[in-house]
Amino acid sequence: MRHNRIRQVGILALLALFVASSVAMPVMAQNSAVNYDADATQSQYYRGQVTINTYQMDWDGLQWENDAGEVEDLAGQVNESADNPYSYTVTRVNVSDFGEFPHQKDGVSALDAGEWTTSGASVSNTEPATGVDAVEMTLAQGDSATFSNFSITSDESKKSLMMAFDVDSLDSNAVIEVRINDSDGDYKVAEINASESSGENWMAGATGDGFVFQRQLGEMTTQTTSGSDGTFNDIEEVEVIAQTNGGTITVTGLNLDKSGNYVLGDRLADTDSDDELETETITEVKDGGAISVTDLSTLGDTFDTATINGLTVDFHRYPSSLPSADVEVNFSEAGAYPGFDFKIDLYYRMGLDTGYDLSYSNLDLVAEQSVPESRYQATDIVEGASDTDFDDLSWDDAGVTYGSVGDTIVVEDTVQPSQNIALHYQYLVTGDERTAMQQTGGAIGPTGGSGGGIIGFITSIPGMIITTLGGLLGGKWLMG
């Protein structure tokens, strides 16, 4: 009986060892070479703007389509310190509702040049970006173009005029009117006016892309003509007229069916000059160009399945997102450096996603200084680094000038996205700092010392608990 119990204790010990080994096995993160949250860990990151040529709004986060046509996560993350990290131009968005006016008529669209009748003006179909339908209108003074294949006979004053457009050319002092005409000649008017710079009914005053005008018709003054009754009802026409001089505009969105505005996103801005940022909902763009927003989720429901051509994102890429093969850490004895126990050699191979659909701007590689300047022994760099072992690279002094702990140091300001950059830091750390840097929840590279594996686990708090419990249970079992 006693021999049976000894054999069973042996089995129990093996099971405990198996459990201990299983617990000690690291759960590998995407990159667990070093604890990046440790104060003494010196790392760096890319910062700048990445433009995704074609971004689908129903994608999951920051994704892009690579050259093989596969959708993948972008290597990097949105810069959380940026107030409005996402930028886009409204007239470069393929959003179906912008071309569905009049909604009650299938197969009819105000963005079809064939639906416009002209008097002197030239109207043609165009596509300013992939999938973005538009009509281009060129008008000289006195020219007009009219869309009339619709009728709105109820709630006319509650409807809003929305027009998204580019101003491709504009003569000096030009005035191009956009009129909404009712059945007997009363009308509402907004204008592209090169001599003005503001106003409720002012749409734009210079060339540029991405203009958006939205205003409820009931808030606009009713203009009369000879024979009209002064009451605005039964809307039957949208008319574009060059009253003074002329120009060329490209219309990518036109709507009169909607009661209320399209929401183009929220942005943080100091709207009341109190040096504090307030959240502002964007509905108009009268200065043209790209608009910047806090998050893509703040765009209205109309954009849920839209495609943004040229989404620019303020982003960072940290080494924690690198493949594990591109990070290495080695510890060695500090030697003749009083107060320090170890010398660390940290190696990184930094890279960026590249492909037809991606472009970058304002790129640099920066580091936040982790220890005092006096501790650094070397900072080396290789631009255009290959995938060979770090020991086989030809290193150059990075020429980095350090300051105080926490300072942002520019490591490289001429980043080429297609080239990897390898970095090597050598500096002094204490034993406690080494311990903190090793607390990753995963494996690290060669350490030059002991303390890992099963022995390290047994001497850890979880290991001591398991071995103690195993001993107590085994003793009770053995003694019966």
Side-chain angles (χ1 to χ4, degrees):
M1 182 66 70
R2 177 63 58 88
H3 292 298
N4 288 337
R5 291 189 183 276
I6 291 173
R7 185 167 56 250
Q8 290 168 345
V9 168
I11 294 171
L12 178 63
L14 288 173
L15 288 172
L17 184 62
F18 174 77
V19 171
S21 300
S22 299
V23 175
M25 287 293 287
V27 178
M28 294 300 292
Q30 184 178 6
N31 172 1
S32 56
V34 67
N35 179 8
Y36 296 98
D37 294 327
D39 291 340
T41 299
Q42 180 59 65
S43 66
Q44 64 291 310
Y45 57 93
Y46 288 113
R47 66 180 182 184
Q49 288 78 46
V50 58
T51 297
I52 303 172
N53 189 50
T54 304
Y55 181 83
Q56 307 285 348
M57 284 286 287
D58 56 3
W59 280 349
D60 184 15
L62 206 56
Q63 295 186 305
W64 67 293
E65 185 177 290
N66 62 27
D67 290 351
E70 301 164 335
V71 177
E72 62 179 70
D73 293 330
L74 184 74
Q77 64 188 63
V78 179
N79 177 11
E80 295 178 354
S81 64
D83 295 328
N84 303 296
Y86 300 89
S87 299
Y88 75 100
T89 300
V90 179
T91 56
R92 298 301 179 265
V93 180
N94 177 4
V95 51
S96 60
D97 200 60
F98 277 18
E100 292 184 357
F101 172 72
H103 290 77
Q104 70 272 26
K105 286 196 171 185
D106 293 335
V108 178
S109 172
L111 300 186
D112 181 356
E115 295 285 350
W116 292 79
T117 58
T118 61
S119 175
S122 170
V123 179
S124 60
N125 289 114
T126 187
E127 190 178 83
T130 302
V132 178
D133 294 329
V135 288
E136 181 183 82
M137 302 180 179
T138 299
L139 309 97
Q141 183 167 315
D143 291 348
S144 67
T146 304
F147 174 73
S148 59
N149 194 358
F150 73 99
S151 179
I152 298 175
T153 59
S154 63
D155 295 326
E156 294 92 337
S157 293
K158 294 180 181 178
K159 306 299 184 184
S160 290
L161 164 61
M162 186 283 291
M163 194 167 94
F165 60 100
D166 301 333
V167 179
D168 304 309
S169 66
L170 195 64
D171 295 340
S172 177
N173 300 316
V175 177
I176 299 175
E177 293 185 347
V178 178
R179 293 186 177 187
I180 311 303
N181 300 324
D182 76 359
S183 57
D184 67 354
D186 298 301
Y187 65 96
K188 311 283 187 174
V189 63
E191 62 182 24
I192 300 168
N193 190 326
S195 300
E196 302 290 339
S197 59
S198 64
E200 291 288 349
N201 296 327
W202 179 75
M203 305 175 74
T207 57
D209 299 332
F211 295 97
V212 181
F213 176 85
Q214 296 193 86
R215 196 170 185 211
Q216 190 176 55
L217 295 177
E219 295 178 345
M220 302 170 71
T221 302
T222 299
Q223 308 289 336
T224 60
T225 59
S226 177
S228 67
D229 61 7
T231 302
F232 186 75
N233 51 30
D234 297 339
I235 305 171
E236 293 188 347
E237 288 182 346
V238 177
E239 187 178 16
V240 181
I241 306 172
Q243 291 284 32
T244 305
N245 297 325
T248 298
I249 64 173
T250 297
V251 180
T252 63
L254 183 64
N255 192 31
L256 286 170
D257 287 331
K258 187 176 176 63
S259 297
N261 294 327
Y262 291 94
V263 174
L264 309 178
D266 289 346
R267 65 184 166 204
L268 290 174
D270 183 6
T271 59
D272 54 12
S273 302
D274 64 353
D275 296 326
E276 297 289 336
L277 297 179
E278 294 83 33
T279 299
E280 177 185 33
T281 297
I282 306 170
T283 57
E284 291 189 307
V285 186
K286 292 191 174 184
D287 294 327
I291 57 176
S292 299
V293 299
T294 58
D295 196 89
L296 294 179
S297 64
T298 65
L299 276 66
D301 294 344
T302 303
F303 294 86
D304 284 350
T305 58
T307 300
I308 299 177
N309 293 286
L311 174 68
T312 298
V313 183
D314 198 326
F315 89 111
H316 289 166
R317 190 189 186 191
Y318 294 92
S320 55
S321 67
L322 292 173
S324 57
D326 288 339
V327 183
E328 184 179 313
V329 53
N330 298 301
F331 290 98
S332 58
E333 300 297 329
Y337 292 98
F340 298 101
D341 303 296
F342 298 98
K343 183 184 296 182
I344 185 173
D345 287 276
L346 264 175
Y347 297 89
Y348 299 104
R349 185 182 287 106
M350 300 289 291
L352 292 164
D353 284 337
T354 57
Y356 179 81
D357 260 9
L358 294 181
S359 59
Y360 296 89
S361 57
N362 302 315
L363 269 181
D364 60 8
L365 184 64
V366 298
E368 293 183 0
Q369 185 174 331
S370 65
V371 297
E373 179 183 6
S374 59
R375 294 207 212 173
Y376 290 94
Q377 305 293 298
T379 305
D380 303 314
I381 191 170
V382 178
E383 297 181 57
S386 64
D387 292 333
T388 60
D389 291 342
F390 289 114
D391 290 342
D392 296 330
L393 295 175
S394 299
W395 296 94
D396 296 315
D397 189 305
V400 174
T401 301
Y402 289 99
S404 302
V405 173
D407 284 356
T408 298
I409 309 298
V410 176
V411 178
E412 178 59 56
D413 60 2
T414 57
V415 173
Q416 301 297 320
S418 60
Q419 292 186 342
N420 290 335
I421 296 176
L423 286 167
H424 165 231
Y425 299 100
Q426 184 184 84
Y427 57 99
L428 302 170
V429 295
T430 66
D432 288 344
E433 288 172 334
R434 170 184 167 168
T435 299
M437 295 171 76
Q438 290 178 313
Q439 293 173 347
T440 63
I444 66 172
T447 64
S450 62
I454 188 63
I455 300 302
F457 171 76
I458 291 172
T459 58
S460 70
I461 291 176
M464 288 188 287
I465 292 172
I466 288 178
T467 51
T468 299
L469 287 174
L472 290 173
L473 289 172
K476 284 188 176 183
W477 194 280
L478 181 63
M479 299 307 295

